């Protein structure tokens, strides 16, 4: 596993360097020298205050989604689970939409806090439900219902919003992007990702037991209720922080664990860190490709990941269906 982690870290460094170095304008040798020597120069401004925080935001948001996906797939014992399956993303987006329509977008941090409150509310409801019903299938159904309700409420906001400008802002948020993000946004999401990683690591032994079956987990002697609680908290916090900073970005949480699971022999505990790194790498590369695509308007990151991720989702589902038939 150490080789896998070091390999992913190396790829992240290369992808981050490409993300910072490439853009609409390419620098010549003199501009690169100026960027590293004179912090007040134009090239330095572009590299370190525009591109670098954008890459860092994509990395941390991708890591949050990858970690949340690995936790959800381990908790639900379902390879098709992702951070949005339990409705946390949808409720977080609803919180952000409410803040934007209410005119709070002008207040620094208001939209982010609203999204985190929405994610916390969804996580609290899921925890209360999981305390009474331990069936993964029932938890998924509850999450689908929660997601559907949040989606309908967001659509209602579109329907009743008196301001087309606010409607456009909500739509832009829902499409997902790390464009024009700053180091403040990185400071928002990084502590949440680190805390989520700690919670997920604490839940890892329980996730391992769950992979052996509900009966085995129940007789293992481990505090499974505590492990489920920690796993839900980790997934909700990571997903909420990602949505708060970048909006709704799909398929990263689904795909990242699948890319590394076979390399760690399917261990739900050992897949957590590689999944986070793979998610960060995926989003950095996806953002680079999205902004380098020659279009009149820059592609939204959520749109780009959906276009690439949907066929992958279909492939995973097809393979899972073949295994079920066997």
């Amino acid at each position: 596993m150490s080789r896998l982690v070091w390999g992913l870290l190396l790829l992240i460094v290369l992808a981050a360097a490409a993300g910072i170095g490439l853009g609409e304008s390419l620098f010549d040798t003199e501009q690169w020298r100026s960027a590293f020597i004179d912090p007040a120069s134009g090239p330095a401004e572009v590299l370190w205050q525009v591109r670098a925080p954008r890459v860092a935001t994509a990395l941390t948001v991708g890591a949050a989604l990858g970690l949340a996906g690995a936790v959800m797939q381990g908790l639900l014992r379902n390879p098709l689970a992702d951070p949005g399956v339990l409705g946390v993303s949808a409720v977080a987006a609803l919180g952000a939409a409410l803040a934007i329509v209410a005119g709070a977008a002008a207040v620094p941090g208001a939209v982010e806090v609203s999204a985190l409150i929405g994610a916390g509310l969804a996580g609290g409801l899921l925890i209360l439900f999981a305390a009474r019903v331990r069936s993964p299938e029932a938890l998924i159904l509850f999450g689908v219902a929660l997601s559907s309700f949040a989606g309908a409420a967001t659509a209602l906001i579109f329907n009743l919003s008196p301001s087309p400008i606010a409607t456009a802002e909500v739509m832009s948020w829902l499409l997902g992007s790390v464009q024009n993000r700053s180091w403040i946004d990185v400071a928002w999401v990084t502590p949440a990702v680190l805390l989520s990683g700690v919670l997920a690591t604490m839940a890892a032994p329980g996730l391992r037991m769950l992979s052996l079956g509900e009966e085995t987990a129940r007789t293992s002697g481990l505090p499974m209720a505590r492990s489920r609680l920690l796993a839900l908290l980790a997934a909700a916090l990571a997903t909420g922080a990602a949505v708060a900073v970048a909006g709704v970005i799909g398929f990263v949480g689904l795909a990242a664990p699948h890319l590394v699971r076979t390399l760690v022999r399917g261990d739900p505990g050992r897949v957590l860190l590689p999944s986070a790194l793979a998610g960060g790498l995926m989003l950095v590369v996806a953002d680079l490709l999205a902004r380098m695509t020659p279009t009149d308007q820059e592609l939204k990151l959520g749109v780009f990941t959906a276009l690439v991720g949907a066929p992958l989702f279909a492939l995973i589902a097809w393979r899972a269906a073949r295994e079920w038939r066997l």
Side-chain angles (χ1 to χ4, degrees):
M1 181 176 142
S2 58
R3 291 182 180 179
L4 173 60
V5 170
W6 283 112
L8 288 169
L9 288 173
L10 175 61
L11 291 175
I12 286 173
V13 170
L14 295 176
I20 295 173
L22 299 177
E24 293 182 1
S25 58
L26 297 177
F27 293 164
D28 56 27
T29 304
E30 179 61 28
Q31 288 174 316
W32 276 106
R33 187 187 69 81
S34 177
F36 282 94
I37 293 178
D38 183 8
S41 65
E45 179 76 16
V46 172
L47 287 183
W48 312 125
Q49 300 303 321
V50 177
R51 294 182 186 173
R54 177 171 182 161
V55 169
T57 303
L59 177 61
T60 48
V61 168
L65 295 175
L67 176 64
V71 171
M72 285 291 92
Q73 291 176 17
L75 177 64
L76 301 176
R77 306 196 300 277
N78 189 330
L80 301 182
D82 77 333
V85 73
L86 295 184
V88 178
S89 296
V91 181
L94 174 60
L98 287 171
I100 293 172
V101 171
V107 180
V111 176
E112 289 82 357
V113 170
S114 297
L116 283 174
I117 291 174
L121 177 61
L125 290 173
L126 290 167
I127 289 169
L128 290 174
F129 184 84
R132 295 179 175 272
V133 182
R134 297 182 178 181
S135 169
E137 293 80 5
L139 190 60
I140 291 175
L141 289 175
F142 183 78
V144 170
L146 191 62
S147 181
S148 298
F149 175 81
T154 304
L156 183 64
I157 290 175
F158 278 111
N159 188 209
L160 299 180
S161 175
S163 170
I165 296 177
T167 301
E169 289 182 0
V170 172
M171 177 60 73
S172 178
W173 185 273
L174 294 178
L175 293 177
S177 176
V178 293
Q179 187 178 11
N180 299 325
R181 298 307 189 265
S182 67
W183 291 113
I184 296 176
D185 296 296
V186 179
W188 264 98
V189 70
T190 300
V193 175
L194 295 176
L195 179 56
S196 299
V198 172
L199 295 174
T201 302
M202 294 171 64
L207 296 179
R208 289 192 182 96
M209 286 296 104
L210 282 173
S211 68
L212 301 177
E214 189 68 36
E215 286 297 326
T216 302
R218 190 178 297 114
T219 59
S220 66
L222 291 175
M224 296 307 301
R226 175 175 173 271
S227 295
R228 287 188 175 89
L229 172 62
L230 291 172
L232 284 172
L233 285 174
L237 180 59
T239 305
V243 174
V245 171
V248 180
I249 298 175
F251 292 102
V252 174
L254 171 70
H258 281 277
L259 293 177
V260 299
R261 180 171 288 113
T262 57
L263 301 177
V264 295
R265 300 179 182 178
D267 187 329
R270 296 179 64 191
V271 80
L272 298 175
L273 176 58
S275 293
L277 295 176
L281 174 63
M282 287 176 61
L283 211 57
V284 170
V285 173
D287 180 57
L288 176 61
L289 294 176
R291 59 189 170 96
M292 295 297 289
T293 301
T295 54
D296 293 337
Q297 292 185 349
E298 181 179 312
L299 290 176
K300 290 292 186 179
L301 186 54
V303 176
F304 188 85
T305 57
L307 288 173
V308 176
L312 176 62
F313 184 88
L315 178 61
I316 293 172
W318 178 69
R319 288 182 174 177
R322 290 186 61 189
E323 292 177 0
W324 292 335
R325 286 198 301 269
L326 296 176

